[in-house]
Short mmCIF file of all heavy atoms in Angstrom, two decimals:
data_model
loop_
_atom_site.label_atom_id
_atom_site.label_comp_id
_atom_site.label_asym_id
_atom_site.label_seq_id
_atom_site.Cartn_x
_atom_site.Cartn_y
_atom_site.Cartn_z
N SER A 350 3.92 108.47 99.07
CA SER A 350 3.41 107.10 99.16
C SER A 350 2.14 106.93 98.35
O SER A 350 1.37 107.88 98.15
CB SER A 350 3.17 106.70 100.62
OG SER A 350 2.34 107.64 101.27
N VAL A 351 1.95 105.70 97.88
CA VAL A 351 0.82 105.36 97.03
C VAL A 351 -0.03 104.33 97.76
O VAL A 351 0.43 103.22 98.05
CB VAL A 351 1.30 104.79 95.67
CG1 VAL A 351 0.12 104.51 94.77
CG2 VAL A 351 2.28 105.75 95.01
N PHE A 352 -1.29 104.69 98.08
CA PHE A 352 -2.18 103.82 98.83
C PHE A 352 -3.36 103.41 97.97
O PHE A 352 -3.95 104.24 97.27
CB PHE A 352 -2.70 104.53 100.09
CG PHE A 352 -1.76 104.47 101.25
CD1 PHE A 352 -0.56 105.16 101.23
CD2 PHE A 352 -2.05 103.71 102.38
CE1 PHE A 352 0.33 105.10 102.30
CE2 PHE A 352 -1.18 103.64 103.45
CZ PHE A 352 0.01 104.34 103.41
N GLY A 353 -3.71 102.13 98.03
CA GLY A 353 -4.88 101.62 97.32
C GLY A 353 -5.91 101.08 98.28
O GLY A 353 -6.81 101.81 98.72
N PRO A 354 -5.78 99.79 98.71
CA PRO A 354 -6.83 99.17 99.53
C PRO A 354 -6.73 99.47 101.01
O PRO A 354 -7.55 99.00 101.79
CB PRO A 354 -6.62 97.68 99.26
CG PRO A 354 -5.15 97.56 99.04
CD PRO A 354 -4.77 98.81 98.29
N THR A 355 -5.71 100.22 101.44
CA THR A 355 -5.57 100.51 102.87
C THR A 355 -5.71 102.01 103.11
O THR A 355 -5.46 102.83 102.23
CB THR A 355 -4.20 100.02 103.40
OG1 THR A 355 -3.16 100.48 102.54
CG2 THR A 355 -4.19 98.50 103.46
N ASP A 356 -6.09 102.35 104.33
CA ASP A 356 -6.44 103.72 104.69
C ASP A 356 -5.19 104.47 105.18
O ASP A 356 -4.66 104.18 106.25
CB ASP A 356 -7.50 103.68 105.79
CG ASP A 356 -8.00 105.05 106.18
OD1 ASP A 356 -7.52 106.06 105.63
OD2 ASP A 356 -8.89 105.12 107.05
N ALA A 357 -4.74 105.45 104.42
CA ALA A 357 -3.54 106.20 104.78
C ALA A 357 -3.73 106.99 106.07
O ALA A 357 -2.77 107.21 106.81
CB ALA A 357 -3.14 107.13 103.65
N SER A 358 -4.96 107.40 106.37
CA SER A 358 -5.18 108.16 107.60
C SER A 358 -4.99 107.27 108.83
O SER A 358 -4.74 107.76 109.93
CB SER A 358 -6.57 108.78 107.61
OG SER A 358 -7.58 107.78 107.69
N ARG A 359 -5.10 105.96 108.65
CA ARG A 359 -4.88 105.01 109.74
C ARG A 359 -3.47 104.45 109.74
O ARG A 359 -2.85 104.27 110.78
CB ARG A 359 -5.88 103.85 109.65
CG ARG A 359 -5.73 102.82 110.76
CD ARG A 359 -6.64 101.62 110.55
NE ARG A 359 -6.58 100.73 111.69
CZ ARG A 359 -5.63 99.81 111.86
NH1 ARG A 359 -4.68 99.65 110.96
NH2 ARG A 359 -5.64 99.04 112.94
N ASN A 360 -2.93 104.14 108.55
CA ASN A 360 -1.66 103.42 108.45
C ASN A 360 -0.53 104.21 107.82
O ASN A 360 0.60 103.72 107.77
CB ASN A 360 -1.85 102.15 107.59
CG ASN A 360 -2.89 101.23 108.14
OD1 ASN A 360 -3.00 101.06 109.34
ND2 ASN A 360 -3.67 100.62 107.26
N GLY A 361 -0.81 105.39 107.31
CA GLY A 361 0.18 106.08 106.49
C GLY A 361 1.11 107.00 107.25
O GLY A 361 1.13 107.02 108.48
N PRO A 362 1.89 107.77 106.49
CA PRO A 362 2.78 108.76 107.12
C PRO A 362 1.97 109.76 107.94
O PRO A 362 0.81 110.07 107.61
CB PRO A 362 3.44 109.44 105.91
CG PRO A 362 3.34 108.44 104.81
CD PRO A 362 2.04 107.73 105.03
N TRP A 363 2.57 110.29 108.99
CA TRP A 363 1.85 111.19 109.89
C TRP A 363 2.39 112.61 109.84
O TRP A 363 1.80 113.52 110.38
CB TRP A 363 1.94 110.66 111.33
CG TRP A 363 3.34 110.35 111.73
CD1 TRP A 363 4.25 111.21 112.29
CD2 TRP A 363 4.02 109.12 111.55
NE1 TRP A 363 5.45 110.57 112.48
CE2 TRP A 363 5.34 109.28 112.04
CE3 TRP A 363 3.65 107.87 111.03
CZ2 TRP A 363 6.28 108.25 112.01
CZ3 TRP A 363 4.59 106.86 111.01
CH2 TRP A 363 5.89 107.05 111.50
N ASP A 364 3.52 112.81 109.15
CA ASP A 364 4.08 114.16 109.03
C ASP A 364 3.33 114.90 107.93
O ASP A 364 3.20 114.39 106.81
CB ASP A 364 5.57 114.06 108.69
CG ASP A 364 6.28 115.40 108.83
OD1 ASP A 364 5.77 116.40 108.30
OD2 ASP A 364 7.37 115.44 109.45
N ALA A 365 2.85 116.09 108.23
CA ALA A 365 2.05 116.85 107.26
C ALA A 365 2.83 117.20 106.01
O ALA A 365 2.24 117.51 104.97
CB ALA A 365 1.53 118.13 107.92
N ARG A 366 4.17 117.14 106.07
CA ARG A 366 4.98 117.46 104.89
C ARG A 366 5.06 116.30 103.91
O ARG A 366 5.45 116.49 102.75
CB ARG A 366 6.38 117.88 105.32
CG ARG A 366 6.41 119.17 106.14
CD ARG A 366 7.75 119.40 106.79
NE ARG A 366 8.04 118.35 107.78
CZ ARG A 366 9.14 118.31 108.51
NH1 ARG A 366 10.07 119.24 108.35
NH2 ARG A 366 9.31 117.35 109.40
N ASP A 367 4.72 115.09 104.35
CA ASP A 367 4.74 113.94 103.44
C ASP A 367 3.54 114.02 102.50
O ASP A 367 2.54 114.66 102.79
CB ASP A 367 4.70 112.63 104.24
CG ASP A 367 6.00 112.40 105.01
OD1 ASP A 367 7.07 112.76 104.49
OD2 ASP A 367 5.93 111.87 106.13
N ARG A 368 3.66 113.34 101.36
CA ARG A 368 2.60 113.36 100.37
C ARG A 368 2.05 111.96 100.16
O ARG A 368 2.81 111.01 99.96
CB ARG A 368 3.11 113.92 99.03
CG ARG A 368 3.46 115.40 99.10
CD ARG A 368 2.19 116.25 99.30
NE ARG A 368 2.49 117.66 99.53
CZ ARG A 368 2.50 118.23 100.72
NH1 ARG A 368 2.24 117.52 101.80
NH2 ARG A 368 2.75 119.51 100.84
N VAL A 369 0.73 111.84 100.21
CA VAL A 369 0.06 110.56 100.03
C VAL A 369 -0.86 110.65 98.82
O VAL A 369 -1.69 111.56 98.74
CB VAL A 369 -0.77 110.18 101.28
CG1 VAL A 369 -1.54 108.90 101.03
CG2 VAL A 369 0.13 110.04 102.50
N LEU A 370 -0.71 109.71 97.90
CA LEU A 370 -1.63 109.57 96.77
C LEU A 370 -2.49 108.35 97.07
O LEU A 370 -1.95 107.26 97.27
CB LEU A 370 -0.85 109.38 95.47
CG LEU A 370 0.24 110.42 95.20
CD1 LEU A 370 1.02 110.05 93.94
CD2 LEU A 370 -0.36 111.80 95.06
N THR A 371 -3.80 108.53 97.12
CA THR A 371 -4.64 107.43 97.60
C THR A 371 -5.84 107.19 96.69
O THR A 371 -6.44 108.12 96.18
CB THR A 371 -5.12 107.69 99.04
OG1 THR A 371 -5.96 106.61 99.46
CG2 THR A 371 -5.88 109.00 99.17
#
Side-chain angles (χ1 to χ4, degrees):
S350 54
V351 183
F352 277 69
T355 50
D356 184 359
S358 67
R359 181 185 186 277
N360 301 322
W363 51 89
D364 192 311
R366 295 168 295 181
D367 291 324
R368 292 292 173 260
V369 176
L370 308 176
T371 179

